[in-house]
Amino acid sequence: MLAIDPAKKLSFNRLISNGDLVIVYERHDNMKAVTVSEGSVLQNRFGVFKHSEWIGKPFGSKVFSNKGGFVYLLAPTPELWTLVLSHRTQILYIADISFVIMYLEVVPGCLVLESGTGSGSLTTSLARAVAPMGHVHTFDFHEQRAGSARDDFERTGLSSLISVRVRDIQGEGFPSEFAGLADAVFLDLPQPWLAIPSAAKMLKQDGTLCSFSPCVEQVQRSCETLQNCFTDIRTFEVLLRTYEVKEGKMENLNGDNNDSNGSLPCKRRQRSDGSYAPDTSVSSVMARPCGEARGHTGYLTFARLKCL
Amino acid sequence: MSSSANGNNSNNGRVTWEGCSVLLDINDGDRLVFARLSPAAKLKIGNKNCSLQPLIGTPFGSLFQLDGTSLSPFIPSPQADATTNEEIKDDNVESRDNRQLLDNNTAQTLTGEDIEAMRRQGAGGNEIIEALIANSATYDKKTAFSQEKYRRKKQKKYAPKVLMRRPVARSICEAYFKKYPSKIGFLRVDTLSLLLSMANVSANSDILVVDMISGLLTGAVAERLGGTGLVCNSYLGQSPYSMDIVRIFNFSDEICKRIVRCPISDLLSSKESPEQTLQVADVNYVCNVESQSNDPMGATANTDEISHSSGNGISDLGAENAENENIPVIRACKATKAGERAPQETIDSWKENGFSSLLIAAPEMDIWPLPLATCMHNLQLAKMAIGLQISEPWLREYQVLPSRTHPSMQMSAFGGYILTGTKICSSNC
């Protein structure tokens, strides 16, 4: 997924090959991840697609089925992966993920600790942010989910950047081998206050911490615990409002077309006999907010380790 | 974790060095100043001119307090925080309220002259604050929260605190958004974060950027590339846009090298680009903090970026007496140039391989009809991209305190609109 090997980076000349992971785009709300395999096919409502016909094409290509239907083959990115991955747990979405990466100040070379791994949605973006010299150590107390996450990271080519371990961070804290080495710690746990003292030991001076909690009671308790070793404690909510766009005609409300009422000036169409007729509509692209929106995902609490 | 060859000068360096830029947060965000640390650098707080020398060689995140005329390290005592929390739980507190408070300026018996006298006798800021509290007739009748507020207000005036922050994309964006948002096109930090992730900015990539917001976007992209790949800062016409904010990032030489400029016309044409010497790159990086001439890039691209020397490389955002037009531009202390003209081989390689991401920050347009809507519509009609989406991020901060948790009283209503999508192969691919 990431160009850890510069030779594999996305370019006009990087063509789909056998074994590549592609995102098959049917519609904006209908996508899936497929590993290209020479003899395989993809079957959907548009027909049958042969993988062999995909090989050698550039990413972003439109490919056709036996029935003439089509899909697009996109290069995988952490954002697309978040939309197609299998949910073993509730995941973090793009708005929260982007903000976390920015606010934790994760850059190439950073060492980041995360618990819980969940479905690996955030982990994938963390890997992108620390690549190529950094590393993400992620911990989950659920052995099966840790295994599925490991498999996913193999599939997306991120195993060299992510280490998954089974560990109960609330009960045992982070492993002492990381003490004083972490640039950032991310917590998505039911009782993050139990893990905060350990997180404090892991962080470098002025290192950043983020805790994600759906409920305000969890936030309050976390903030209280953070007071001891942390400063600059801030809690946010972030949401995305989306817009729909269409081309439309706006009717001119002023029927007799004189501008005595201070209405908007409008164009006049010239008729074939040379006289002018009022142009009663203006074509333009209009945008308006979508009626539905996600109301809440969780609160994001950030803090910095106090300088001694 | 490997560090770059520059050691402390890499943007993972956590301790300040002579010549580095810092973000000074005075009194909890009341005032934000970008400064370059040198033995001669000074900062004016209130009516005192204090040296920034004590800040050199200290870790980012350190807190200082102005006591008298110099800044000294301030370590908050853990007891102070604990007492505040305990008092809140004290039952007596709940019976106090403000029904008897009269706002007639008679509560404080200490006069301005008394305070001056104390100062002359060598009293420190904290002593003055204690004296004010002792001489306030209404202090004891206040609720604990109210007492805390009173104490903090006095502390800001008599013993101001300075927090030294590391300038990174987050802190730089927040500082400008708070104090001088027009310079960055009102791009809020969550919107910037979305631009970076939705464009899939990652290491070893070639990223094309059109940055009309003083270089904040270019710097943020370069930070995410971490010394790999390339950022091509491109522009319409022949005059590059200003990139002054890039200098605040404390980028290592390796990262600076990765920021190059190229006019869009050069990227499009297949003919040989003319051998024109671009003067702009040369003038900016004079290794001299004192003198300053008009930034030629600033002048051509954006007329309200007129700069003048302040003698110590300080850029004070929204200070009490500085007008925005007079904000000086920081001079780099090292000769490393970010924003060199892209060499021909690089341009050829981009034509051969393309860019993996495009980011545009262009705030200067009329918003009716929404330019992004027109852009999205055109992309749809031309079948150039899929998954197109216009979004507006919404960010709300909370105050979380015992018995006092609620959303913050102030909120940003607008942080920019974003259009995102994925380019698809046209039939020519």
PDB file of all heavy atoms in Angstrom, chain B residues 29-52:
ATOM      1  N   GLY B  29      -1.858  31.196  25.585  1.00  0.00           N
ATOM      2  CA  GLY B  29      -2.453  31.494  24.296  1.00  0.00           C
ATOM      3  C   GLY B  29      -2.912  32.930  24.102  1.00  0.00           C
ATOM      4  O   GLY B  29      -3.398  33.278  23.033  1.00  0.00           O
ATOM      5  N   ASP B  30      -2.724  33.784  25.117  1.00  0.00           N
ATOM      6  CA  ASP B  30      -3.124  35.188  24.938  1.00  0.00           C
ATOM      7  C   ASP B  30      -2.311  35.829  23.832  1.00  0.00           C
ATOM      8  O   ASP B  30      -2.803  36.637  23.058  1.00  0.00           O
ATOM      9  CB  ASP B  30      -2.902  35.996  26.229  1.00  0.00           C
ATOM     10  CG  ASP B  30      -3.968  35.701  27.258  1.00  0.00           C
ATOM     11  OD1 ASP B  30      -4.894  34.928  26.955  1.00  0.00           O
ATOM     12  OD2 ASP B  30      -3.860  36.234  28.379  1.00  0.00           O
ATOM     13  N   ARG B  31      -1.043  35.459  23.814  1.00  0.00           N
ATOM     14  CA  ARG B  31      -0.175  36.030  22.799  1.00  0.00           C
ATOM     15  C   ARG B  31       0.710  34.927  22.227  1.00  0.00           C
ATOM     16  O   ARG B  31       1.225  34.088  22.967  1.00  0.00           O
ATOM     17  CB  ARG B  31       0.693  37.116  23.446  1.00  0.00           C
ATOM     18  CG  ARG B  31       1.375  38.008  22.454  1.00  0.00           C
ATOM     19  CD  ARG B  31       1.980  39.195  23.174  1.00  0.00           C
ATOM     20  NE  ARG B  31       3.213  39.563  22.524  1.00  0.00           N
ATOM     21  CZ  ARG B  31       4.302  40.012  23.138  1.00  0.00           C
ATOM     22  NH1 ARG B  31       4.303  40.135  24.443  1.00  0.00           N
ATOM     23  NH2 ARG B  31       5.373  40.321  22.453  1.00  0.00           N
ATOM     24  N   LEU B  32       0.863  34.915  20.906  1.00  0.00           N
ATOM     25  CA  LEU B  32       1.677  33.882  20.259  1.00  0.00           C
ATOM     26  C   LEU B  32       2.746  34.546  19.416  1.00  0.00           C
ATOM     27  O   LEU B  32       2.441  35.427  18.607  1.00  0.00           O
ATOM     28  CB  LEU B  32       0.785  33.004  19.369  1.00  0.00           C
ATOM     29  CG  LEU B  32      -0.269  32.193  20.122  1.00  0.00           C
ATOM     30  CD1 LEU B  32      -1.299  31.622  19.171  1.00  0.00           C
ATOM     31  CD2 LEU B  32       0.392  31.065  20.897  1.00  0.00           C
ATOM     32  N   VAL B  33       3.971  34.126  19.629  1.00  0.00           N
ATOM     33  CA  VAL B  33       5.093  34.764  18.935  1.00  0.00           C
ATOM     34  C   VAL B  33       6.009  33.702  18.352  1.00  0.00           C
ATOM     35  O   VAL B  33       6.432  32.788  19.064  1.00  0.00           O
ATOM     36  CB  VAL B  33       5.917  35.615  19.930  1.00  0.00           C
ATOM     37  CG1 VAL B  33       7.120  36.244  19.249  1.00  0.00           C
ATOM     38  CG2 VAL B  33       5.051  36.680  20.575  1.00  0.00           C
ATOM     39  N   PHE B  34       6.329  33.833  17.080  1.00  0.00           N
ATOM     40  CA  PHE B  34       7.372  32.977  16.503  1.00  0.00           C
ATOM     41  C   PHE B  34       8.687  33.728  16.639  1.00  0.00           C
ATOM     42  O   PHE B  34       8.770  34.891  16.288  1.00  0.00           O
ATOM     43  CB  PHE B  34       7.094  32.705  15.020  1.00  0.00           C
ATOM     44  CG  PHE B  34       5.992  31.718  14.791  1.00  0.00           C
ATOM     45  CD1 PHE B  34       4.782  32.123  14.271  1.00  0.00           C
ATOM     46  CD2 PHE B  34       6.167  30.379  15.106  1.00  0.00           C
ATOM     47  CE1 PHE B  34       3.752  31.213  14.066  1.00  0.00           C
ATOM     48  CE2 PHE B  34       5.146  29.457  14.909  1.00  0.00           C
ATOM     49  CZ  PHE B  34       3.932  29.878  14.382  1.00  0.00           C
ATOM     50  N   ALA B  35       9.701  33.061  17.136  1.00  0.00           N
ATOM     51  CA  ALA B  35      10.984  33.740  17.320  1.00  0.00           C
ATOM     52  C   ALA B  35      12.119  32.814  16.944  1.00  0.00           C
ATOM     53  O   ALA B  35      11.962  31.593  16.903  1.00  0.00           O
ATOM     54  CB  ALA B  35      11.135  34.164  18.784  1.00  0.00           C
ATOM     55  N   ARG B  36      13.254  33.428  16.660  1.00  0.00           N
ATOM     56  CA  ARG B  36      14.440  32.618  16.387  1.00  0.00           C
ATOM     57  C   ARG B  36      15.384  32.831  17.571  1.00  0.00           C
ATOM     58  O   ARG B  36      15.668  33.953  17.949  1.00  0.00           O
ATOM     59  CB  ARG B  36      15.090  33.072  15.082  1.00  0.00           C
ATOM     60  CG  ARG B  36      15.860  31.952  14.437  1.00  0.00           C
ATOM     61  CD  ARG B  36      16.082  32.180  12.953  1.00  0.00           C
ATOM     62  NE  ARG B  36      14.988  31.735  12.128  1.00  0.00           N
ATOM     63  CZ  ARG B  36      14.739  30.472  11.778  1.00  0.00           C
ATOM     64  NH1 ARG B  36      15.509  29.505  12.218  1.00  0.00           N
ATOM     65  NH2 ARG B  36      13.728  30.171  11.001  1.00  0.00           N
ATOM     66  N   LEU B  37      15.856  31.734  18.151  1.00  0.00           N
ATOM     67  CA  LEU B  37      16.677  31.848  19.356  1.00  0.00           C
ATOM     68  C   LEU B  37      18.120  32.188  19.037  1.00  0.00           C
ATOM     69  O   LEU B  37      18.782  31.498  18.265  1.00  0.00           O
ATOM     70  CB  LEU B  37      16.652  30.523  20.136  1.00  0.00           C
ATOM     71  CG  LEU B  37      15.315  30.099  20.727  1.00  0.00           C
ATOM     72  CD1 LEU B  37      15.509  28.847  21.565  1.00  0.00           C
ATOM     73  CD2 LEU B  37      14.702  31.201  21.576  1.00  0.00           C
ATOM     74  N   SER B  38      18.584  33.245  19.684  1.00  0.00           N
ATOM     75  CA  SER B  38      19.993  33.585  19.583  1.00  0.00           C
ATOM     76  C   SER B  38      20.333  34.322  20.878  1.00  0.00           C
ATOM     77  O   SER B  38      19.429  34.815  21.548  1.00  0.00           O
ATOM     78  CB  SER B  38      20.243  34.476  18.376  1.00  0.00           C
ATOM     79  OG  SER B  38      19.748  35.770  18.618  1.00  0.00           O
ATOM     80  N   PRO B  39      21.618  34.406  21.234  1.00  0.00           N
ATOM     81  CA  PRO B  39      21.972  35.095  22.486  1.00  0.00           C
ATOM     82  C   PRO B  39      21.469  36.538  22.514  1.00  0.00           C
ATOM     83  O   PRO B  39      21.175  37.082  23.568  1.00  0.00           O
ATOM     84  CB  PRO B  39      23.501  35.040  22.509  1.00  0.00           C
ATOM     85  CG  PRO B  39      23.852  33.879  21.650  1.00  0.00           C
ATOM     86  CD  PRO B  39      22.793  33.812  20.586  1.00  0.00           C
ATOM     87  N   ALA B  40      21.358  37.147  21.340  1.00  0.00           N
ATOM     88  CA  ALA B  40      20.938  38.557  21.292  1.00  0.00           C
ATOM     89  C   ALA B  40      19.425  38.726  21.212  1.00  0.00           C
ATOM     90  O   ALA B  40      18.902  39.822  21.363  1.00  0.00           O
ATOM     91  CB  ALA B  40      21.584  39.221  20.081  1.00  0.00           C
ATOM     92  N   ALA B  41      18.703  37.650  20.977  1.00  0.00           N
ATOM     93  CA  ALA B  41      17.259  37.783  20.759  1.00  0.00           C
ATOM     94  C   ALA B  41      16.547  38.235  22.029  1.00  0.00           C
ATOM     95  O   ALA B  41      16.857  37.788  23.127  1.00  0.00           O
ATOM     96  CB  ALA B  41      16.696  36.445  20.279  1.00  0.00           C
ATOM     97  N   LYS B  42      15.579  39.134  21.840  1.00  0.00           N
ATOM     98  CA  LYS B  42      14.822  39.653  22.984  1.00  0.00           C
ATOM     99  C   LYS B  42      13.341  39.601  22.671  1.00  0.00           C
ATOM    100  O   LYS B  42      12.919  39.665  21.533  1.00  0.00           O
ATOM    101  CB  LYS B  42      15.231  41.101  23.244  1.00  0.00           C
ATOM    102  CG  LYS B  42      16.591  41.242  23.894  1.00  0.00           C
ATOM    103  CD  LYS B  42      16.763  42.649  24.417  1.00  0.00           C
ATOM    104  CE  LYS B  42      18.054  42.901  25.149  1.00  0.00           C
ATOM    105  NZ  LYS B  42      19.077  41.896  25.157  1.00  0.00           N
ATOM    106  N   LEU B  43      12.551  39.523  23.733  1.00  0.00           N
ATOM    107  CA  LEU B  43      11.114  39.512  23.579  1.00  0.00           C
ATOM    108  C   LEU B  43      10.525  40.539  24.526  1.00  0.00           C
ATOM    109  O   LEU B  43      10.896  40.600  25.695  1.00  0.00           O
ATOM    110  CB  LEU B  43      10.572  38.122  23.927  1.00  0.00           C
ATOM    111  CG  LEU B  43       9.047  37.982  23.953  1.00  0.00           C
ATOM    112  CD1 LEU B  43       8.502  38.052  22.544  1.00  0.00           C
ATOM    113  CD2 LEU B  43       8.657  36.674  24.608  1.00  0.00           C
ATOM    114  N   LYS B  44       9.593  41.333  24.018  1.00  0.00           N
ATOM    115  CA  LYS B  44       8.986  42.343  24.881  1.00  0.00           C
ATOM    116  C   LYS B  44       7.722  41.757  25.508  1.00  0.00           C
ATOM    117  O   LYS B  44       6.802  41.337  24.813  1.00  0.00           O
ATOM    118  CB  LYS B  44       8.637  43.573  24.042  1.00  0.00           C
ATOM    119  CG  LYS B  44       8.259  44.758  24.888  1.00  0.00           C
ATOM    120  CD  LYS B  44       8.504  46.068  24.158  1.00  0.00           C
ATOM    121  CE  LYS B  44       8.373  47.212  25.156  1.00  0.00           C
ATOM    122  NZ  LYS B  44       7.905  48.447  24.589  1.00  0.00           N
ATOM    123  N   ILE B  45       7.686  41.742  26.831  1.00  0.00           N
ATOM    124  CA  ILE B  45       6.482  41.284  27.534  1.00  0.00           C
ATOM    125  C   ILE B  45       6.058  42.416  28.447  1.00  0.00           C
ATOM    126  O   ILE B  45       6.809  42.827  29.329  1.00  0.00           O
ATOM    127  CB  ILE B  45       6.755  40.022  28.385  1.00  0.00           C
ATOM    128  CG1 ILE B  45       7.293  38.898  27.510  1.00  0.00           C
ATOM    129  CG2 ILE B  45       5.467  39.576  29.074  1.00  0.00           C
ATOM    130  CD1 ILE B  45       7.567  37.620  28.264  1.00  0.00           C
ATOM    131  N   GLY B  46       4.845  42.919  28.223  1.00  0.00           N
ATOM    132  CA  GLY B  46       4.408  44.074  29.000  1.00  0.00           C
ATOM    133  C   GLY B  46       5.332  45.219  28.646  1.00  0.00           C
ATOM    134  O   GLY B  46       5.490  45.554  27.476  1.00  0.00           O
ATOM    135  N   ASN B  47       6.022  45.782  29.644  1.00  0.00           N
ATOM    136  CA  ASN B  47       6.959  46.856  29.301  1.00  0.00           C
ATOM    137  C   ASN B  47       8.402  46.423  29.530  1.00  0.00           C
ATOM    138  O   ASN B  47       9.289  47.248  29.648  1.00  0.00           O
ATOM    139  CB  ASN B  47       6.630  48.128  30.102  1.00  0.00           C
ATOM    140  CG  ASN B  47       6.590  47.824  31.594  1.00  0.00           C
ATOM    141  OD1 ASN B  47       6.892  46.697  32.016  1.00  0.00           O
ATOM    142  ND2 ASN B  47       6.204  48.801  32.372  1.00  0.00           N
ATOM    143  N   LYS B  48       8.622  45.133  29.600  1.00  0.00           N
ATOM    144  CA  LYS B  48       9.974  44.635  29.829  1.00  0.00           C
ATOM    145  C   LYS B  48      10.508  43.932  28.574  1.00  0.00           C
ATOM    146  O   LYS B  48       9.795  43.182  27.926  1.00  0.00           O
ATOM    147  CB  LYS B  48       9.977  43.628  30.986  1.00  0.00           C
ATOM    148  CG  LYS B  48       9.460  44.204  32.281  1.00  0.00           C
ATOM    149  CD  LYS B  48      10.106  43.532  33.468  1.00  0.00           C
ATOM    150  CE  LYS B  48       9.757  44.236  34.768  1.00  0.00           C
ATOM    151  NZ  LYS B  48       8.323  44.491  34.956  1.00  0.00           N
ATOM    152  N   ASN B  49      11.781  44.170  28.305  1.00  0.00           N
ATOM    153  CA  ASN B  49      12.447  43.539  27.168  1.00  0.00           C
ATOM    154  C   ASN B  49      13.312  42.408  27.692  1.00  0.00           C
ATOM    155  O   ASN B  49      14.370  42.666  28.264  1.00  0.00           O
ATOM    156  CB  ASN B  49      13.340  44.602  26.504  1.00  0.00           C
ATOM    157  CG  ASN B  49      13.134  44.619  25.016  1.00  0.00           C
ATOM    158  OD1 ASN B  49      12.367  43.830  24.464  1.00  0.00           O
ATOM    159  ND2 ASN B  49      13.801  45.529  24.355  1.00  0.00           N
ATOM    160  N   CYS B  50      12.873  41.160  27.551  1.00  0.00           N
ATOM    161  CA  CYS B  50      13.696  40.098  28.140  1.00  0.00           C
ATOM    162  C   CYS B  50      14.451  39.285  27.109  1.00  0.00           C
ATOM    163  O   CYS B  50      13.981  39.044  26.005  1.00  0.00           O
ATOM    164  CB  CYS B  50      12.901  39.148  29.022  1.00  0.00           C
ATOM    165  SG  CYS B  50      11.165  39.212  28.746  1.00  0.00           S
ATOM    166  N   SER B  51      15.602  38.843  27.535  1.00  0.00           N
ATOM    167  CA  SER B  51      16.466  38.058  26.667  1.00  0.00           C
ATOM    168  C   SER B  51      15.915  36.641  26.526  1.00  0.00           C
ATOM    169  O   SER B  51      15.393  36.057  27.473  1.00  0.00           O
ATOM    170  CB  SER B  51      17.867  38.007  27.277  1.00  0.00           C
ATOM    171  OG  SER B  51      18.613  37.005  26.643  1.00  0.00           O
ATOM    172  N   LEU B  52      16.066  36.102  25.335  1.00  0.00           N
ATOM    173  CA  LEU B  52      15.620  34.731  25.094  1.00  0.00           C
ATOM    174  C   LEU B  52      16.754  33.729  25.281  1.00  0.00           C
ATOM    175  O   LEU B  52      16.586  32.532  25.072  1.00  0.00           O
ATOM    176  CB  LEU B  52      15.059  34.604  23.665  1.00  0.00           C
ATOM    177  CG  LEU B  52      13.768  35.378  23.399  1.00  0.00           C
ATOM    178  CD1 LEU B  52      13.333  35.181  21.954  1.00  0.00           C
ATOM    179  CD2 LEU B  52      12.656  34.913  24.335  1.00  0.00           C
TER     180      LEU B  52
END
